[in-house]
Amino acid sequence: MGSGKRSLTTAAMVLACACAVLSAPGVAHASPTPAPTRTPTPTPTTSPAGKDLEAIREKLDALYHDAAVATDAYNAAEEKTKQQSAEIVDLARVIVKSQDKLDELKDRAGAAARAQYRGGGLPPEMRLWLSDNPQQYLDGAGRVLQGEHATKGLLAEMTRTQQDLEQYAKDASAQWQKLETNRQAKATAQKEIKKQIAAAKKLESQLEKKEKERLAKLEEEAAYKAQTAWLSSGVLAEISGKASEQGKKAVKFATDQIGKPYEWGAEGPGSYDCSGLTSQAWAAAGHGIPRTSQEQWKQLPHVDVKDMRPGDLIIYFDDASHVAMYIGDGAIVHAPRPGRTVTIAGAGSMPILGIVRPDA
């Protein structure tokens, strides 16, 4: 990351540790140094109208978490759909080639059969006795024998090609069934995403302006508290890894997207979901990785937190439903959730499942 952007990141971290009021609601900025012992003054969680804002905050977190899980399912189904569509296209090409080959073999077999018919139906010894030139006949008989062997080989190749063609057709049918299954899974996930986001927006729409401001403050404090606990463990003092060259490129790409909106299923360039941001950042660095946070957790090499370096991916929550990129100084860049933008936050502001390294 460039020195200018690094300075901005560090400044944001310091502000977070001072528990300053952030301009964007719900964004927790990490600190480059262990958090102070002072804790922020608790904000009353009950509004004059009697609404429990802390319960609302927890409910919103749950709704957006469920939307994130559904988004991962949607992205996984989308990736499988793309892959299976490509496989079906490849199979179609193979089927066309095999059918052309079978047609050619049938033509050759038909020509061989017609040539054999023109040779007559007399036994070979009778044709030898009637021949004016026995030697010429014998030479011709040898060629006929070779032709018969060639015909047998031709028929065997026809049989194999026919069997291959039938198998390709079965494979294509199976791929179509898988494709349809994944299309249905994608549609189901899409409905679930819209349902959870609609429920969250409805809940937020019931709040007055002052309640929304207090709710945003609660979100800040919850993230701050989690980040403080993480830093208080002394973990940041153990993290000293330096980014690889590819890692630097991935970090630059990700931080260049700051301010762009979150959109489920999006991979840029105008908007991103959490794994869309990380997968595209590493693609820009020349290293492809799985599309979803769950597959990133499953397939990429795991590293200890103390060995973490900029460019590594932090996977969050027990179900690996969120992912962010570590950028150093105890901070991450990520696409948080609907209604938010790509931003910098504290690496410990959410429950960490583990760390993965795309370029291990």
Side-chain angles (χ1 to χ4, degrees), residues 6-348:
R6 183 61 173 270
S7 298
L8 287 174
T9 302
T10 305
M13 302 305 101
V14 172
L15 285 174
C17 282
C19 195
V21 177
L22 305 180
S23 58
V27 175
H29 288 258
S31 167
T33 57
T37 56
R38 181 179 63 82
T39 56
T41 303
T43 301
T45 60
T46 304
S47 70
K51 293 172 183 169
D52 187 343
L53 292 180
E54 178 60 26
I56 290 174
R57 183 190 71 79
E58 292 175 356
K59 178 63 175 176
L60 284 171
D61 283 349
L63 288 171
Y64 282 122
H65 173 267
D66 289 346
V69 172
T71 297
D72 230 32
Y74 174 90
N75 290 335
E78 174 71 6
E79 286 299 291
K80 288 179 181 177
T81 297
K82 289 178 182 177
Q83 180 182 355
Q84 284 155 1
S85 295
E87 289 175 355
I88 288 172
V89 170
D90 290 341
L91 277 170
R93 291 194 183 102
V94 172
I95 288 172
V96 169
K97 288 181 180 179
S98 297
Q99 186 63 59
D100 289 344
K101 180 180 178 181
L102 185 61
D103 292 342
E104 180 188 353
L105 291 171
K106 285 181 177 179
D107 289 343
R108 288 167 57 189
R114 288 191 295 273
Q116 190 173 20
Y117 175 79
R118 287 194 296 270
L122 293 174
E125 60 272 16
M126 181 63 71
R127 279 179 288 176
L128 174 61
W129 183 71
L130 293 173
S131 175
D132 293 333
N133 189 336
Q135 183 60 47
Q136 185 179 19
Y137 170 78
L138 290 173
D139 291 342
R143 288 193 296 272
V144 169
L145 187 59
Q146 291 175 356
E148 289 177 350
H149 285 308
T151 300
K152 288 180 180 178
L154 188 64
L155 293 174
E157 188 175 2
M158 275 181 58
T159 301
R160 287 194 300 270
T161 302
Q162 181 69 47
Q163 291 172 344
D164 289 344
L165 192 59
E166 291 173 357
Q167 185 59 51
Y168 293 145
K170 289 179 182 178
D171 291 345
S173 177
Q175 288 297 337
W176 272 112
Q177 290 176 359
K178 288 181 182 179
L179 181 62
E180 183 59 27
T181 297
N182 279 304
R183 282 176 175 164
Q184 292 175 1
K186 191 170 72 168
T188 299
Q190 187 175 16
K191 289 180 183 178
E192 183 64 17
I193 294 165
K194 291 182 177 180
K195 173 185 171 184
Q196 298 299 336
I197 292 176
K201 287 182 176 179
K202 181 179 179 181
L203 184 58
E204 289 175 319
S205 70
Q206 295 170 355
L207 300 175
E208 301 294 335
K209 180 180 178 181
K210 289 184 178 179
E211 291 173 332
K212 290 180 180 178
E213 291 172 353
R214 284 196 291 271
L215 180 62
K217 185 65 176 178
L218 280 176
E219 291 174 350
E220 288 177 20
E221 290 175 357
Y224 173 85
K225 183 179 179 181
Q227 175 73 354
T228 298
W230 186 69
L231 292 174
S232 296
S233 68
V235 64
L236 194 57
E238 298 180 357
I239 301 173
S240 59
K242 296 188 181 298
S244 66
E245 288 305 312
Q246 282 188 314
K248 290 176 183 177
K249 292 178 182 178
V251 168
K252 183 181 185 308
F253 179 94
T255 52
D256 282 347
Q257 312 313 309
I258 289 173
K260 293 183 178 181
Y262 177 102
E263 181 182 358
W264 61 266
E267 304 177 77
S271 57
Y272 296 88
D273 62 19
C274 67
S275 57
L277 176 65
T278 54
S279 60
Q280 288 303 305
W282 272 100
H287 192 92
I289 64 173
R291 169 64 176 87
T292 69
S293 58
Q294 292 178 346
E295 289 304 310
Q296 288 170 6
W297 174 244
K298 288 178 184 177
Q299 296 185 35
L300 298 178
H302 293 197
V303 297
D304 291 336
V305 173
K306 64 181 178 61
D307 297 323
M308 187 164 58
R309 68 190 188 192
D312 287 347
L313 305 182
I314 304 181
I315 309 296
Y316 291 98
F317 304 107
D318 289 342
D319 53 7
S321 57
H322 189 68
V323 60
M325 180 177 292
Y326 184 64
I327 59 174
D329 294 334
I332 57 170
V333 60
H334 71 144
R337 65 170 174 81
R340 302 293 167 80
T341 60
V342 176
T343 189
I344 292 172

